[in-house]
């Protein structure tokens, strides 16, 4: 059965309109590309056709190559398409080299292969808000249908490198100013204008331009090489573990130095090699895993529709509360911010203003938009204005009795449909809602700090939470541009629970002889935004010690009790805010290695009764990464086994968006699968014998190591907390 097609319709004016039809975004499947070629050839043969317009159905030109085909190729289910054939035979020889002119009529989006098809046409007409870009590098590949050769020739090398390497799209209006688009028209005039433009080309009233052979926008060779050298240095600095950005730069250079046809051939062969690379497999997995978070069994399959949220209230204007308010008002939600006194309220409003001002300074928000956005916040000191709110998000300090009192008060003032959400990161929601009779409306809305920046929203459902409440919160999450994942209720929920062994393992191995800074360096080199000790400094020792105690109380059999942080706290070393923790900090908050921490480490070892293991002085960076991350994998397996997470791919997204795990490694479970379950089990067993039960493999992992089942396979033992 064909997956998508194109249609052809010839008008009385002699213009053949070829329309890409493959809902929802008119992606370019192999079937669509062959259909495009067939209809082009038909139009070229027909005597009643003078010119061609290419467009997309339902207001979308094309979202690019069909990404589901990537998975099929990587899994061996589909033969890899010949990129050389598509790029040269279809896009270049059939479309661009056609003896009749063609014009692309672009609305909605022209991304990836969609823009590459448009660039092969002899002119491009666009609507002002159409999205144009080549985002292929986000999937671990490069543009494969001529984009690396045509875009630099249309917009210049510097802008093309920015668009391709940063996967940065532009709107039609900017595309016009760059030379990527020839004219901007309203949607209802798009095809009409494109038809006339095509006829004007045949009548020599408009230029007939083959983008591949344009040279006026290209810099002289010496200057171009300097630009490419700088781009390589930036790519190595910003993405040290990735090869495909460097491959992309090489391909662009080949076209500039050896000519566009040589560039096309190198582009096609490079695309095919990258398509089966580990990086591409990981990033394609992440692409689909992120979309799969919106499917939650027992929640999204009940036919429920989200209720409209007109007003939100946030309790607490601290760092988290102000961040939550910021993200809500930036998405147009009116918000009531409640604080306990005028000073705290003013501080909260000031934080929100500072968050918005940073957007203004970056050029992402106008002064007018700033005023309109900040006007959506109303500060209050009591609950009188809560009588018509649809959602309340509590973001006060982690104090059980305080939260219990707040939720009991909310019940008295809020309407019966109001959602009661808590931003707690560790406290059991059943405990928080213990003193209310509205437990079906209680849900966790766990944002990650800073709330207006981090992309994840962890929605925590108790055994009593109504599915409608979860559906409503998922909808709000999408509207504020977060990726919501739905998880079950337990200490730490999914993300923090899964990652508590990250810092504990690091602390254990420091007591055993590993260097603090070597651990951080190895984790950063692996792709984490920062190592565990730099992260502790950032969040603060107070938070680190408090959460550590929670896990020690809940999971005493597998928690490591280090005295290192309490010892440092005694000397007021509490992290970045105090300008000294595991690192010392200058006035610009730059982290500097501090040999003074060695005295605390020696004291910690003495109190723990351990002596440094000389073998640990010889371990590689790979070993260090496994020492801190395999216990995380082990805990992630427990989270799956207990039904706290619905599926393994949700934990992959949670690890990437909540903790900064490198996306090009596919997420915590996907990465673990690449190492092999038996290998992970073997290493954990070795460390258990040497260092104790902190590393003991859980039953879920042990079973899969024994029977060869992947970690991502559905848990049969799960208690289905959701």
């Amino acid at each position: 059965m064909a997956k998508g097609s194109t249609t052809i319709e010839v008008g009385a004016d002699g213009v053949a309109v070829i329309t890409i039809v493959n809902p929802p975004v008119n992606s370019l499947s192999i079937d669509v590309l062959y259909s495009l070629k067939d209809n082009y050839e038909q139009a070229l043969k027909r005597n009643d056709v003078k010119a061609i317009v290419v467009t997309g159905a339902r207001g979308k030109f094309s979202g690019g190559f069909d990404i589901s085909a990537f998975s099929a190729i990587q899994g061996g289910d589909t033969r890899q398409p010949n990129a050389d054939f598509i790029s040269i035979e279809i896009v270049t020889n059939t479309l661009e080299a056609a003896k009749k002119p063609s014009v692309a009529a672009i609305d909605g989006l022209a991304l990836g292969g969609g823009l590459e098809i448009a660039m092969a046409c002899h002119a491009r007409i666009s609507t002002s808000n159409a999205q144009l870009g080549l985002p292929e590098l986000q999937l671990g590949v490069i543009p494969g249908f001529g984009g690396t050769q045509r875009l630099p020739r249309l917009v210049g090398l510097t802008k093309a490198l920015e668009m391709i390497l940063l996967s940065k799209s532009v709107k039609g209006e900017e595309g016009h100013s760059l030379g990527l688009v020839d004219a901007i028209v309203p949607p209802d005039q798009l095809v009409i204008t494109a038809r006339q433009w095509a006829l004007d080309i045949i009548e020599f009233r408009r230029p007939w331009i083959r983008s591949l052979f344009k040279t006026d926008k290209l810099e002289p060779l010496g200057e171009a090489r300097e630009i490419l050298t700088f781009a390589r240095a930036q790519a190595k600095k910003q993405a040290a573990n990735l090869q495909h950005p460097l491959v992309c730069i090489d391909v662009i250079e080949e076209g500039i130095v050896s000519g566009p046809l040589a560039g096309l051939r190198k582009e096609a062969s490079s695309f095919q090699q990258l398509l089966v690379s580990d990086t591409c497999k990981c990033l394609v997995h992440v692409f689909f895993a992120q979309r799969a978070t919106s499917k939650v069994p027992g929640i999204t399959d009940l036919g429920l529709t989200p209720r409209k949220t007109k007003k939100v209230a946030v309790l607490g204007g601290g760092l988290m509360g102000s961040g939550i308010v910021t993200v809500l008002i930036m998405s147009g939600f009116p918000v009531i911010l409640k604080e306990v006194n005028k000073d705290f309220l003013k501080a909260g409003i000031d934080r929100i203003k500072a968050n918005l001002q940073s957007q203004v300074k970056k050029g992402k928000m106008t002064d007018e938009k700033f005023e309109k956005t900040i006007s959506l916040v109303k500060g209050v000191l009591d609950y009188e204005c809560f009588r018509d709110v649809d959602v309340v998000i509590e973001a006060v300090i982690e104090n059980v009795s305080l939260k219990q009192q707040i939720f009991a008060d909310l019940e008295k003032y809020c309407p019966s449909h109001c959602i009661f959400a808590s931003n707690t990161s560790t406290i059991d929601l059943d405990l928080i809602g213990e003193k209310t009779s509205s437990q079906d409306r209680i849900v966790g809305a766990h944002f990650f700090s800073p709330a207006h920046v981090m992309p994840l929203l962890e929605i925590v459902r108790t055994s009593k939470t109504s599915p409608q409440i979860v559906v409503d919160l998922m909808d709000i999450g999408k509207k504020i541009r977060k990726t919501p994942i739905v998880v079950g209720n337990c200490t730490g929920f999914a993300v923090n629970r899964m990652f508590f062994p990250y810092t504990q393992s690091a602390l254990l191995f420091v007591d055993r002889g590993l260097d603090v800074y070597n651990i951080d360096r190895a984790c950063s080199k692996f792709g984490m935004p920062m190592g565990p000790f730099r992260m502790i400094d950032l969040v603060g020792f107070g938070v680190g010690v408090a959460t550590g105690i929670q896990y020690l109380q809940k999971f005493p059999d597998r928690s490591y009790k280090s005295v290192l942080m309490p010892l440092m706290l005694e000397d007021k070393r509490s992290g970045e805010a105090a300008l000294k923790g595991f690192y010392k900090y200058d006035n610009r908050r730059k982290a500097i290695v501090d040999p003074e921490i060695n005295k605390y480490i020696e004291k910690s070892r003495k109190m723990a009764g351990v002596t440094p293991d000389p073998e640990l002085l010889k371990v590689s960076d790979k070993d260090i990464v496994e020492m801190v991350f395999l216990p995380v994998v082990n805990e992630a397996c427990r989270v799956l086994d207990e039904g706290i997470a619905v599926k393994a791919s949700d934990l992959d997204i949670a690890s990437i968006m909540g903790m900064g795990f490198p996306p090009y490694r596919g997420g915590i479970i996907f990465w673990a699968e690449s190492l092999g379950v038996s290998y992970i089990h073997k290493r954990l067993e070795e460390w258990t014998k040497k260092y104790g039960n902190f590393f003991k493999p859980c039953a879920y992992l042990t079973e899969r190591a024994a029977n060869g089942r992947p970690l991502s396979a559905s848990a049969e033992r799960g208690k289905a907390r959701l």
Side-chain angles (χ1 to χ4, degrees):
M1 186 173 160
K3 190 172 182 184
S5 64
T6 63
T7 61
I8 183 169
E9 188 181 328
V10 181
D13 57 358
V15 176
V17 177
I18 298 175
T19 305
I20 301 167
V21 185
N22 191 12
V25 294
N26 298 324
S27 57
L28 300 174
S29 64
I30 301 300
D31 293 322
V32 168
L33 290 165
Y34 275 110
S35 173
L36 179 64
K37 182 176 187 290
D38 291 344
N39 278 329
Y40 237 90
E41 288 172 346
Q42 182 189 330
L44 294 173
K45 285 175 190 170
R46 285 176 61 161
N47 293 328
D48 60 338
V49 174
K50 298 177 188 175
I52 300 164
V53 166
V54 182
T55 192
R58 297 178 193 88
K60 293 182 177 72
F61 186 80
S62 173
F65 190 65
D66 180 11
I67 298 169
S68 63
F70 283 24
S71 298
I73 292 160
Q74 291 163 354
D77 302 325
T78 303
R79 214 172 112 258
Q80 182 168 173
N82 189 327
D84 193 285
F85 177 76
I86 294 168
S87 176
I88 295 175
E89 288 304 314
I90 298 180
V91 179
T92 303
N93 295 347
T94 304
L95 273 66
E96 191 170 48
K99 297 290 191 286
K100 295 175 182 178
S102 62
V103 175
I106 304 167
D107 195 10
L109 44 85
L111 297 174
L115 182 59
E116 290 174 294
I117 294 291
M119 289 192 291
C121 294
H122 306 117
R124 283 149 297 286
I125 313 299
S126 172
T127 56
S128 60
N129 286 319
Q131 195 181 358
L132 315 167
L134 296 176
E136 286 88 345
L137 266 74
Q138 290 181 342
L139 293 171
V141 291
I142 63 172
F145 302 163
T148 62
Q149 306 305 306
R150 290 186 178 88
L151 190 62
R153 287 166 170 79
L154 285 167
V155 303
L157 181 57
T158 301
K159 187 65 184 179
L161 284 165
E162 179 193 328
M163 287 178 68
I164 298 172
L165 295 178
L166 301 180
S167 296
K168 188 177 178 183
S169 62
V170 298
K171 291 286 177 71
E173 202 73 62
E174 186 183 350
H176 184 225
S177 66
L178 291 169
L180 180 56
V181 168
D182 297 287
I184 297 293
V185 298
D188 60 349
Q189 295 295 307
L190 183 61
V191 174
I192 297 167
T193 307
R195 295 178 91 114
Q196 187 56 53
W197 200 288
L199 292 170
D200 286 349
I201 293 175
I202 203 75
E203 295 295 335
F204 303 105
R205 289 192 291 267
R206 302 274 188 193
W208 187 326
I209 296 170
R210 292 188 170 96
S211 306
L212 191 63
F213 300 101
K214 257 174 71 74
T215 57
D216 59 302
K217 288 281 185 79
L218 287 179
E219 291 80 356
L221 187 57
E223 190 181 330
R225 279 192 157 136
E226 282 181 20
I227 292 167
L228 292 164
T229 300
F230 178 75
R232 277 193 191 91
Q234 288 295 104
K236 285 174 183 173
K237 183 180 174 184
Q238 293 172 15
N241 294 328
L242 299 178
Q243 287 304 307
H244 64 287
L246 299 174
V247 171
C248 186
I249 295 167
D250 290 345
V251 167
I252 292 170
E253 183 170 42
E254 177 75 7
I256 291 170
V257 173
S258 305
L261 293 175
L264 284 181
R265 284 190 287 271
K266 188 175 179 72
E267 178 194 81
S269 63
S270 298
F271 176 85
Q272 290 194 298
Q273 288 167 21
L274 290 169
L275 187 55
V276 292
S277 68
D278 288 341
T279 298
C280 182
K281 288 174 186 174
C282 288
L283 290 170
V284 168
H285 166 74
V286 170
F287 177 87
F288 287 110
Q290 187 174 348
R291 279 143 189 80
T293 60
S294 63
K295 295 178 177 68
V296 186
I299 300 287
T300 57
D301 52 5
L302 301 178
L304 297 169
T305 55
R307 295 173 297 179
K308 190 170 182 182
T309 301
K310 296 175 186 173
K311 190 184 288 186
V312 182
V314 175
L315 303 181
L319 287 173
M320 280 306 298
S322 59
I324 294 167
V325 174
T326 303
V327 77
L328 285 164
I329 60 175
M330 282 176 67
S331 299
F333 285 98
V335 179
I336 295 169
L337 173 64
K338 181 188 176 297
E339 258 298 358
V340 293
N341 61 49
K342 286 181 182 178
D343 290 342
F344 282 12
L345 184 59
K346 183 182 181 301
I349 298 288
D350 286 346
R351 286 188 193 97
I352 296 160
K353 285 180 178 175
N355 292 339
L356 296 178
Q357 281 293 353
S358 73
Q359 296 292 305
V360 175
K361 285 175 186 171
K362 291 173 187 171
K364 295 180 179 178
M365 182 180 280
T366 63
D367 289 330
E368 185 186 353
K369 180 71 174 170
F370 169 87
E371 294 298 338
K372 190 178 176 183
T373 305
I374 198 66
S375 72
L376 291 170
V377 188
K378 179 182 178 182
V380 300
L381 299 175
D382 56 42
Y383 291 110
E384 286 302 320
C385 295
F386 280 49
R387 298 190 187 280
D388 63 344
V389 298
D390 301 302
V391 181
V392 178
I393 302 172
E394 167 273 306
V396 302
I397 58 171
E398 295 285 69
N399 180 298
V400 175
S401 58
L402 174 61
K403 289 177 189 283
Q404 286 177 335
Q405 183 59 53
I406 284 170
F407 277 75
D409 289 341
L410 288 173
E411 208 168 23
K412 297 171 193 169
Y413 289 92
C414 299
S416 58
H417 71 274
C418 182
I419 297 169
F420 297 156
S422 174
N423 181 57
T424 182
S425 56
T426 52
I427 301 172
D428 190 313
L429 289 168
D430 286 327
L431 195 59
I432 289 173
E434 201 173 58
K435 296 182 179 179
T436 75
S437 57
S438 306
Q439 294 183 9
D440 61 325
R441 293 192 275 152
I442 290 176
V443 67
H446 180 212
F447 291 79
F448 292 77
S449 186
H452 58 293
V453 176
M454 295 294 280
L456 189 70
L457 173 61
E458 197 174 29
I459 298 173
V460 187
R461 183 191 179 198
T462 74
S463 58
K464 294 169 187 171
T465 308
S466 157
Q468 180 67 59
I469 299 295
V470 179
V471 167
D472 292 345
L473 206 50
M474 288 178 75
D475 182 58
I476 293 168
K478 287 171 190 169
K479 284 175 177 168
I480 60 174
R481 298 179 183 86
K482 301 292 182 193
T483 296
I485 60 159
V486 179
V487 301
N489 183 31
C490 69
T491 300
F493 314 131
V495 181
N496 287 338
R497 158 95 183 265
M498 177 170 59
F499 268 84
F500 88 82
Y502 179 56
T503 49
Q504 289 202 0
S505 181
L507 287 163
L508 183 152
F509 278 113
V510 165
D511 276 349
R512 295 287 181 162
L514 269 183
D515 178 72
V516 162
Y517 304 118
N518 282 347
I519 293 173
D520 271 7
R521 271 192 291 269
C523 291
S524 295
K525 198 172 164 187
F526 176 71
M528 294 296 286
M530 60 187 74
F533 296 105
R534 178 68 185 87
M535 187 178 77
I536 292 167
D537 272 5
L538 182 66
V539 300
F541 279 37
V543 173
V545 170
T547 53
I549 290 168
Q550 290 229 12
Y551 294 115
L552 192 63
Q553 289 171 347
K554 188 69 180 177
F555 312 117
D557 57 321
R558 59 178 189 273
S559 290
Y560 180 70
K561 187 179 180 181
S562 168
V563 295
L564 179 55
M565 286 165 62
L567 284 172
M568 294 170 76
L569 262 175
E570 284 175 12
D571 277 2
K572 296 187 170 56
R573 295 188 75 105
S574 57
E576 185 181 320
L579 299 181
K580 56 182 180 177
F582 285 104
Y583 295 80
K584 57 184 176 184
Y585 297 85
D586 60 19
N587 291 334
R588 294 183 180 178
R589 297 290 176 97
K590 183 187 174 186
I592 302 159
V593 169
D594 188 1
E596 196 177 306
I597 67 165
N598 289 326
K599 69 180 183 186
Y600 301 103
I601 293 168
E602 284 168 20
K603 193 171 180 182
S604 175
R605 285 171 183 162
K606 191 175 179 183
M607 290 173 73
V610 295
T611 52
D613 179 356
E615 290 297 309
L616 289 176
L617 298 174
K618 306 171 193 172
V619 295
S620 65
D621 285 350
K622 177 180 177 290
D623 288 324
I624 292 172
V625 165
E626 289 177 4
M627 285 167 171
V628 294
F629 278 112
L630 295 193
V632 175
V633 173
N634 198 23
E635 196 62 32
C637 288
R638 290 188 180 98
V639 168
L640 282 172
D641 194 23
E642 293 170 21
I644 299 299
V646 179
K647 47 193 180 293
S649 63
D650 283 354
L651 295 184
D652 287 331
I653 295 302
S655 66
I656 291 165
M657 294 188 168
M659 296 301 294
F661 194 85
Y664 53 82
R665 299 197 188 276
I668 191 70
I669 300 292
F670 197 85
W671 170 73
E673 302 275 26
S674 74
L675 297 180
V677 185
S678 295
Y679 172 79
I680 293 170
H681 186 267
K682 179 173 166 253
R683 294 226 71 181
L684 288 170
E685 285 281 26
E686 287 168 2
W687 296 330
T688 303
K689 287 172 188 168
K690 203 166 186 180
Y691 304 116
N693 281 343
F694 175 80
F695 296 100
K696 188 177 179 181
C698 69
Y700 183 99
L701 195 149
T702 302
E703 285 172 12
R704 277 153 176 71
N707 61 29
R709 287 183 73 204
L711 298 177
S712 55
S714 298
E716 291 168 0
R717 297 162 44 92
K719 299 182 179 74
R721 295 279 184 96
L722 290 171

